[in-house]
């Protein structure tokens, strides 16, 4: 089946462009007998690509973002002759870390938004940048290999980082992210996705429906646009721009029949 046939059911031009690139990478990998990889895909694109590859029954790939819980990932396509060990040995050739160590007087001042905002302000390509792991002393910015040197050289142009120590590190030296969670309780009329998103995003149900329609909501890593989708225990809900949440426990019902849910929220 040719590319046009494989992509004909996809209506959005950006989806077609993304999947067309994926098919090109598959073809290049087969003909050149080498690893091929994309720039970073956001959560929507990861879900789109994963479903597409499952549909066309293609298995020689890995979605990798530097660590297991990464939201932004590159698609790695590899020849059939590669095994898991051979693939892992190539990770350092695909991704790098640009590590920012802040001077003591600046430590603890910057959030994820400050680091990402700086990159955007420099006019650099967002698709070259993966997750940003923020700590008190600075941040590890995951990037594709060919972008690491560029970012290292550009960051000191920003006033906020002009006195920082910036270096390029191998991806296996990524600092583990300290995961912090807080528990919150929500009360919903049902376990429909729109009800739960409304409470988690602290907005109206109509606004929650808009957020879902904008393809900003993911359940267990898969983009979900069905308002009536029924959620269950242990489901992981990610709302772009709002955070990541886990349904930890159903703790009871109110007199009016509403469900009380204990939620773990990543902070």
């Amino acid at each position: 089946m040719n590319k046009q046939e494989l992509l004909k059911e996809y209506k959005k031009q950006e989806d077609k462009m993304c999947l067309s690139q994926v098919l090109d990478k598959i073809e290049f990998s087969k003909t050149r007998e080498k690893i091929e990889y994309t720039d970073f895909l956001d959560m929507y694109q990861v879900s789109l690509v994963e479903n597409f590859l499952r549909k066309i029954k293609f298995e020689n790939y890995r979605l990798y973002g530097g660590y297991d819980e990464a939201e932004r990932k590159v698609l790695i396509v590899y020849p059939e002759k590669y095994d898991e060990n051979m693939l892992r040995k190539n990770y350092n050739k695909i991704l790098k870390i640009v590590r920012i160590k802040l001077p003591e007087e600046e430590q603890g001042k910057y959030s994820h938004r400050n680091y990402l905002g700086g990159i955007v302000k420099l006019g650099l390509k967002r698709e070259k940048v993966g997750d940003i792991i923020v700590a008190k002393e600075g941040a590890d910015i995951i990037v594709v290999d060919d972008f690491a040197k560029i970012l290292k050289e550009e960051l000191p142009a920003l006033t906020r980082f002009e006195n920082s120590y910036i270096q390029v590190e191998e991806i296996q030296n990524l600092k583990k992210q300290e995961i912090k969670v807080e528990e919150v309780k929500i009360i919903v009329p049902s376990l429909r996705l729109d009800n739960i998103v409304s409470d988690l995003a602290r907005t109206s149900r109509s606004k929650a429906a808009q957020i879902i329609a904008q393809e900003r909501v993911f359940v267990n890593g898969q983009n979900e646009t069905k308002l009536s989708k029924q959620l269950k225990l242990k489901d992981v809900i990610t709302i772009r721009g709002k955070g990541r949440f886990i349904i930890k426990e159903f703790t009871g019902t109110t007199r009016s029949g509403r469900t009380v849910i204990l939620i773990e929220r990543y902070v």
Side-chain angles (χ1 to χ4, degrees):
M1 191 178 293
N2 62 34
K3 185 188 288 189
Q4 193 171 358
E5 280 293 311
L6 289 170
L7 301 179
K8 68 179 182 181
E9 70 177 76
Y10 296 91
K11 306 303 180 187
K12 293 166 62 177
Q13 190 61 31
E14 55 266 37
D15 289 355
K16 286 188 176 184
M17 289 175 63
C18 176
L19 297 177
S20 178
Q21 183 190 30
V22 167
L23 291 171
D24 288 342
K25 296 296 183 184
I26 292 172
E27 184 62 29
F28 292 155
S29 180
K30 285 180 180 178
T31 56
R32 299 170 184 174
E33 282 290 298
K34 56 177 280 193
I35 283 179
E36 295 284 340
Y37 59 94
T38 65
D39 285 336
F40 281 98
L41 308 172
D42 63 25
M43 288 190 69
Y44 171 78
Q45 292 168 324
V46 167
S47 177
L48 174 74
V49 167
E50 202 164 20
N51 289 330
F52 177 71
L53 294 176
R54 199 177 293 123
K55 183 177 180 180
I56 66 173
K57 297 185 168 79
F58 181 77
E59 298 180 349
N60 293 346
Y61 74 93
R62 185 79 74 252
L63 285 157
Y64 180 61
Y67 65 110
D68 290 342
E69 297 82 15
E71 290 190 0
R72 294 175 65 82
K73 300 176 182 179
V74 297
L75 171 70
I76 305 170
V77 179
Y78 56 90
E80 291 187 6
K81 65 182 180 182
Y82 275 63
D83 59 23
E84 186 67 28
N85 286 333
M86 293 170 70
L87 183 61
R88 286 185 179 277
K89 286 178 181 177
N90 279 274
Y91 284 166
N92 280 329
K93 298 176 183 177
I94 297 170
L95 298 184
K96 288 286 190 292
I97 303 160
V98 175
R99 177 166 293 161
I100 302 176
K101 185 175 181 182
L102 299 167
E104 283 191 27
E105 63 272 17
E106 297 291 312
Q107 291 185 9
K109 286 178 61 175
Y110 299 132
S111 66
H112 183 280
R113 181 175 295 180
N114 297 123
Y115 291 101
L116 180 57
I119 293 169
V120 172
K121 187 176 181 179
L122 289 168
L124 301 175
K125 294 181 178 178
R126 179 68 175 103
E127 62 268 24
K128 297 290 184 181
V129 180
D131 284 12
I132 301 173
I133 312 301
V134 178
K136 179 183 177 182
E137 64 272 16
D140 278 0
I141 304 174
I142 304 172
V143 298
V144 290
D145 176 74
D146 62 2
F147 186 67
K149 186 178 178 182
I150 296 170
L151 185 59
K152 178 181 181 293
E153 291 175 351
E154 292 287 341
L155 282 171
L158 296 167
T159 304
R160 72 190 73 167
F161 300 134
E162 62 184 354
N163 296 317
S164 297
Y165 178 63
I166 302 172
Q167 61 185 332
V168 176
E169 291 274 357
E170 301 295 332
I171 192 64
Q172 75 259 23
N173 296 329
L174 181 72
K175 291 182 179 178
K176 290 187 177 179
Q177 187 172 26
E178 183 182 351
I179 299 175
K180 297 179 181 179
V181 298
E182 66 176 15
E183 291 186 346
V184 295
K185 282 187 178 180
I186 63 173
I187 301 173
V188 292
S190 76
L191 300 181
R192 284 173 52 117
L193 181 64
D194 55 350
N195 286 329
I196 291 178
V197 168
S198 174
D199 261 70
L200 297 180
R202 298 179 182 179
T203 189
S204 67
R205 192 164 160 186
S206 61
K207 181 63 176 176
Q210 290 178 26
I211 292 171
I212 295 167
Q214 291 165 355
E215 299 170 336
R216 290 170 53 195
V217 177
F218 301 80
V219 178
N220 302 323
Q222 296 296 307
N223 184 231
E224 183 59 65
T225 57
K226 187 177 179 182
L227 301 182
S228 61
K229 164 83 175 177
Q230 294 290 305
L231 299 183
K232 59 187 186 302
L233 198 64
K234 305 301 181 185
D235 275 349
V236 179
I237 304 107
T238 303
I239 307 170
R240 282 168 61 184
K242 300 294 182 180
R244 183 186 294 182
F245 311 84
I246 300 175
I247 297 179
K248 185 178 180 182
E249 187 181 346
F250 299 125
T251 60
T253 55
T254 66
R255 290 181 179 178
S256 60
R258 290 172 169 253
T259 303
V260 183
I261 309 174
L262 183 64
I263 297 285
E264 281 189 342
R265 176 180 176 268
Y266 288 82
V267 296

